[in-house]
Amino acid sequence: IVHETPSTATIDGDAGLGLVVAPFAMQIAIEKARNAGTGWVAVKNSNHYGIAGYHAMQALKHDMIGMSMTNASPLVSPTFSKERMLGTNPIAMAIPSKNEPPFVGDFATTPAANGKLEVLQRKQEKAPYGWIQDKEGQETDNAHGVKEGGAWLPLGGDRLHGGHKGFILGSMVDILSAVLSGANYGPWAPPFVSFLEPAANPPGEGLGHFFGAMRVDAFRPADEFKEHMDNWLKRFRNAEAANPNQPVVIPGDPERAMEKERGKHGIPLLEPVEKDLRALGEKFEINF
């Protein structure tokens, strides 16, 4: 910890694995919330931290609302630009309930997570229009468009469809995660894709994250809140569907359904992914 108050802290990740740094930071946010009602932790000098929602969900068992966000490799152009300046910069929030499954929102501030584009590339399929633009700033369905000098569009796509709002969201994540913590921000964020070179003269250290925990009973009795969350969740889930074959889903529902499916039938691998894993296993003499 490089800076601390009763409800806040800034952590130096020591260039470690984000998968180790992030849970440590989230636990500090939870402990601060336990003592002060709310806890906020900024992290610098870290790396890829995995699933944003996983970290936010650590607050649920403590009757707290959890938040998690991180900046990432610069692959996204601001509205009206063709230069790559921001990452896909995800935001996650987990909110406890009583008997219903909790509300867990976890989303990139781009139309999709970067992994979705990689899957399309391996399947040799096209990207939906509105996801990315080519190196000239023109909308494209070429799934390799970002690799070839293009960029992700912000959430919403172009200005007409609200892309400026996605740009704002991604910027907020970048500022809280990196400018506030002392990490590298914007186009200086460390690259985690092979086609990007590290930026010259980085202004900070490593990648940045931001975590929050809020004790529900700092606002109202926790059981009372959770009962109302149950009511909220049930009412929204039962909203009249526009298509009877597509019921309304609450943030967290698709992931819970997929977890159940994968737990029963396993995780399917694309053939190119399997080949890559086997090649890595042979290279490092790992048998599987």
Side-chain angles (χ1 to χ4, degrees):
I1 297 177
V2 296
H3 181 76
E4 188 172 23
T5 74
S7 60
T8 67
T10 303
I11 291 174
D12 185 332
D14 195 29
L17 289 171
L19 294 168
V20 175
V21 176
F24 173 78
M26 189 66 202
Q27 286 305 310
I28 289 177
I30 290 168
E31 285 304 313
K32 288 186 175 295
R34 196 190 312 279
N35 295 323
T38 183
W40 303 95
V41 177
V43 176
K44 67 174 182 177
N45 201 13
S46 185
N47 288 282
H48 195 310
Y49 81 171
I51 303 169
Y54 172 84
H55 309 301
M57 290 173 68
Q58 300 312 298
L60 294 174
K61 57 181 173 286
H62 303 284
D63 282 352
M64 297 181 188
I65 295 170
M67 293 182 63
S68 164
M69 57 189 78
T70 183
N71 73 337
S73 303
L75 298 173
V76 184
S77 291
T79 305
F80 302 134
S81 173
K82 62 180 183 180
E83 186 176 359
R84 297 187 288 223
M85 296 288 288
L86 286 171
T88 54
N89 294 9
I91 302 171
M93 178 177 283
I95 304 175
S97 53
K98 191 169 186 177
N99 298 314
E100 292 292 307
F103 178 107
V104 182
D106 182 348
F107 63 99
T109 52
T110 47
N114 197 51
K116 298 284 181 67
L117 203 58
E118 293 176 1
V119 169
L120 291 176
Q121 292 165 7
R122 287 168 172 153
K123 288 183 173 180
Q124 299 183 333
E125 294 179 0
K126 293 186 178 298
Y129 278 107
W131 279 24
I132 60 176
Q133 61 186 15
D134 63 22
K135 62 182 180 181
E136 303 301 329
Q138 301 301 308
E139 194 174 44
T140 181
D141 63 355
N142 177 8
H144 295 272
V146 178
K147 282 184 178 180
E148 295 174 359
W152 274 97
L153 292 167
L155 182 63
D158 59 19
R159 174 67 171 78
L160 180 65
H161 295 92
H164 58 295
K165 299 178 183 181
F167 171 38
I168 292 169
L169 284 170
S171 300
M172 290 165 60
V173 173
D174 199 45
I175 293 165
L176 289 174
S177 297
V179 180
L180 188 63
S181 69
N184 290 303
Y185 45 83
W188 294 282
F192 291 106
V193 289
S194 60
F195 57 87
L196 286 184
E197 292 293 330
N201 303 314
E205 297 177 83
L207 205 64
H209 319 310
F210 189 73
F211 304 94
M214 294 179 283
R215 209 175 69 211
V216 168
D217 66 4
F219 298 88
R220 69 186 297 188
D223 279 347
E224 182 180 283
F225 170 84
K226 291 193 292 182
E227 286 175 0
H228 281 280
M229 273 306 301
D230 276 2
N231 191 43
W232 190 100
L233 291 161
K234 286 187 286 189
R235 181 64 186 91
F236 274 78
R237 189 175 285 111
N238 292 320
E240 186 176 357
N243 180 348
N245 296 318
Q246 176 55 70
V248 176
V249 295
I250 299 299
D253 284 351
E255 291 78 8
R256 283 185 284 265
M258 186 58 69
E259 181 181 18
K260 185 177 180 180
E261 167 70 17
R262 295 291 186 251
K264 183 176 181 181
H265 300 291
I267 301 173
L269 292 178
L270 294 173
E271 187 176 349
V273 174
E274 183 181 357
K275 286 181 178 179
D276 286 347
L277 290 174
R278 292 194 180 280
L280 285 170
E282 291 174 4
K283 178 179 179 180
F284 294 104
E285 299 180 351
I286 299 171
N287 296 317
F288 59 90

